[in-house]
Amino acid sequence: MNIPDNLKYTKDHEWVRVEGDEAYIGITDFAQRELGDIVYVEVETVDEEIEEGEVFGTVEAVKTVSDLFMPVGGTVLEFNESLEDSPESVNDDPYEKGWMIKLKLSDPSSVDKLLSAQDYKELIGE
């Protein structure tokens, strides 16, 4: 299982990579494995301010549709539009090509309360 040490994680299986006062968000390797083959990612919240815990989009796999929850509050700056043509990138490379949104953080320190890689490994039994 790929769980990079440089990221933060949520109990809902999203990851966060912080770059200054911006962050990239996607779903974890564990989540994409649980979902199976991803066929569609929908994010219609670009330019919206979303609070922590609110839904920012959905991910559709062959068997199910799951909501995507905002790990930290902020304004959605960008959706990874390459996922429109290649949603399978979330399965193939969830932490690089498969990122879902870029966010302007409302409070950069809010990331500190997210799970470390070690905490996330414990959560999923790794």
Side-chain angles (χ1 to χ4, degrees):
M1 185 88 49
N2 183 10
I3 304 170
D5 287 333
N6 65 321
L7 304 177
K8 292 290 200 166
Y9 300 89
T10 71
K11 292 178 181 176
D12 294 317
H13 310 290
E14 284 91 15
W15 58 262
V16 179
R17 181 178 70 237
V18 176
E19 295 182 4
D21 62 353
E22 297 177 343
Y24 289 85
I25 297 170
I27 64 170
T28 64
D29 192 29
F30 175 84
Q32 68 81 19
R33 288 181 190 199
E34 291 291 305
L35 287 168
D37 292 336
I38 293 173
V39 295
Y40 188 67
V41 178
E42 181 177 45
V43 173
E44 294 185 353
T45 52
V46 174
D47 296 328
E48 291 182 25
E49 186 165 337
I50 311 289
E51 297 293 323
E52 174 187 335
E54 290 184 348
V55 173
F56 71 84
T58 57
V59 61
E60 183 177 340
V62 173
K63 300 178 199 171
T64 188
V65 176
S66 293
D67 287 333
L68 298 165
F69 296 98
M70 189 66 84
V72 290
T75 302
V76 179
L77 299 174
E78 186 179 339
F79 167 62
N80 182 357
E81 293 185 10
S82 70
L83 297 180
E84 290 179 358
D85 295 326
S86 303
E88 67 278 3
S89 295
V90 176
N91 293 113
D92 299 337
D93 189 4
Y95 301 112
E96 294 298 328
K97 291 181 184 169
W99 66 272
M100 295 179 177
I101 61 170
K102 182 178 178 182
L103 177 76
K104 172 85 168 166
L105 294 165
S106 298
D107 176 9
S109 70
S110 64
V111 174
D112 296 340
K113 68 182 181 333
L114 298 175
L115 302 174
S116 68
Q118 186 57 44
D119 293 337
Y120 185 70
K121 286 176 187 174
E122 290 172 18
L123 175 74
I124 63 172
E126 274 293 298

